[in-house]
Amino acid sequence: MPITANNPDRKTWIKTSPYTDFPIQNIPFGVFLTRDDIITIGTRIGDTAIDLGALHQLGYFDGIPLTDDIFLQDSLNDFISDGKKTWRLVRNKIAEIFDAENDSLKNNEEHRKIVLFTLDEIEMQLPVNVGDYTDFYSSIEHATNVGKMFRDPENALLPNWLHMPIGYHGRSSSIIPSNIPIHRPQGQKLTNGATEPIFGPSRLVDFELEMAFITTDANPLGEPIPIEEAEDYIFGLVLFNDWSARDLQKWEYVPLGPFLGKNFGSSVSPWIVTLDALEPYRVESPKPQKKQFPYLQYKGKKSFDINLEVAIQPEKCEETVVGKTNFKYMYWNMSQQLAHHTVNGCPVNSGDMMGSGTISGPTPDSYGSMLELSWRGEKPVQLKEGGSRKFIEDNDTVIMRGYCEKDGVRIGFGEVSTKLLPVFKK
């Protein structure tokens, strides 16, 4: 089935900025609370939010096999479960409804009042109920930098890293949408030169500039997903800030990996951009440095040219962009990650979230964490309005943005913005 929604020549009757992240070629999916306190599934064109539940009830999706309540829910999980054919039909139909040449909704003022919202009339929610969350460690630049800091610089990568996508199971209960603040975590840490740990607030709170993909129901227990089919089970991507408390993590991660240093908060952008929308921005992945097992070998372009940036904004101050990188630098791509995740028969469900791991590029200004940008605090990052940062301080807001651009069409993710509050006190 062709993806007609991606036509770069398509125009919309909704007023949009030429620099919007959300042209009619994007059509992302999200969940929002309306001005009438109703939660609905929707999409967005420019700065206009579109109530898909109302659109469906008014008959605009006739001909597409959808249940009556598919968009009248507080998460996208059931819609995602319907599979790629349904996603594509719905997205193509939305593009048709809002095409500049289509007058059906454009000239129906009563329907427009029911369906369309300005952004200040809605409140974005977490787009999916995240049943399970996995975080990978798939940027060779990031893994090498960390290895140089904490291990032998000549053997920065651990022996297994070039053989498989390394990952760990995270905590889904602390995944939050943009604009929800988090508190500085507390825990045990071992200070420099000490032999016994102390307890207290983390002194090294950090962001991790990542993306995450959302899966649909994929496989029964015991059945791997072949790499050539992996993308059929990936709905789309969001920006992902996987917060990290470096000092807590350093003390706890041996022998079983991250725990309290990672599970206190992960922030996601509220609009899921579909894999279909990203189709024009495919690029080659980095070439393998070692021969990979057959189940990880793939054909074609499996990565995407997504420009990413992260900014720090101290309270009541101007933001400073501290790093710019690109999703295309990922050594292990999403198809490999999902194939590896399931090669042992692990089942994947609708709404599961898979983090890419910190995305770092080849140059110091393209690193995806403060750990790297300040090189473990040895090179403080300067801010526009004076001062500097080694790590994130209380009341700082971290903002991440991402977009693709080609042939005059920009497909973006908006932003994920999160403020770090002081340690929680009753």
Side-chain angles (χ1 to χ4, degrees), residues 19-246:
Y19 306 107
T20 182
D21 276 358
F22 303 100
I24 193 170
Q25 289 83 7
N26 192 336
I27 310 179
F29 292 90
V31 176
F32 57 81
L33 189 67
T34 73
R35 57 190 169 225
D36 300 315
D37 288 333
I38 295 172
I39 286 186
T40 186
I41 288 171
T43 188
R44 173 178 175 178
I45 298 177
D47 290 336
T48 299
I50 299 159
D51 183 344
L52 295 182
L55 205 61
H56 185 24
Q57 288 179 310
L58 292 169
Y60 286 88
F61 291 119
D62 285 354
I64 301 177
L66 299 169
T67 59
D68 291 342
D69 66 343
I70 192 68
F71 297 125
L72 303 177
Q73 304 190 35
D74 61 2
S75 81
L76 280 156
N77 293 55
D78 284 356
F79 175 63
I80 293 173
S81 289
D82 275 358
K84 179 179 280 191
K85 181 180 178 181
T86 298
W87 314 334
R88 190 167 292 179
L89 283 169
V90 167
R91 189 167 163 273
N92 285 348
K93 186 65 175 178
I94 294 169
E96 178 186 318
I97 293 166
F98 291 95
D99 189 288
E101 302 301 318
N102 189 335
D103 293 335
S104 58
L105 179 61
K106 176 183 178 181
N107 291 343
N108 192 322
E109 185 176 354
E110 181 183 348
H111 285 186
R112 290 203 318 272
K113 288 180 179 178
I114 298 170
V115 169
L116 305 182
F117 296 82
T118 59
L119 296 183
D120 59 5
E121 293 179 303
I122 66 168
E123 182 180 317
M124 296 304 300
Q125 310 291 304
L126 196 67
V128 290
N129 290 326
V130 184
D132 280 303
Y133 154 53
T134 300
D135 190 40
F136 286 95
Y137 188 51
S138 293
S139 161
I140 193 167
E141 289 85 359
H142 174 66
T144 300
N145 288 337
V146 173
K148 287 179 178 177
M149 286 183 215
F150 296 106
R151 291 187 297 275
D152 175 12
E154 298 301 316
N155 297 283
L157 293 177
L158 290 170
N160 59 2
W161 201 94
L162 291 172
H163 292 278
M164 60 181 176
I166 303 297
Y168 72 94
H169 293 291
R171 182 72 180 175
S172 60
S173 62
S174 55
I175 295 177
I176 55 174
S178 181
N179 295 318
I180 302 297
I182 63 169
H183 287 273
R184 180 176 295 274
Q186 298 188 88
Q188 293 187 30
K189 52 191 181 290
L190 193 68
T191 57
N192 289 338
T195 57
E196 294 294 323
I198 60 173
F199 177 84
S202 169
R203 299 171 183 171
L204 307 179
V205 175
D206 198 358
F207 60 76
E208 292 192 349
L209 177 53
E210 302 190 20
M211 301 200 73
F213 66 87
I214 315 295
T215 65
T216 186
D217 302 297
N219 58 322
L221 180 67
E223 184 177 313
I225 299 173
I227 193 164
E228 58 270 15
E229 298 176 15
E231 286 189 352
D232 291 338
Y233 302 104
I234 298 174
F235 177 63
L237 291 119
V238 292
L239 301 171
F240 192 68
N241 181 357
D242 192 26
W243 290 89
S244 181
R246 300 295 183 187

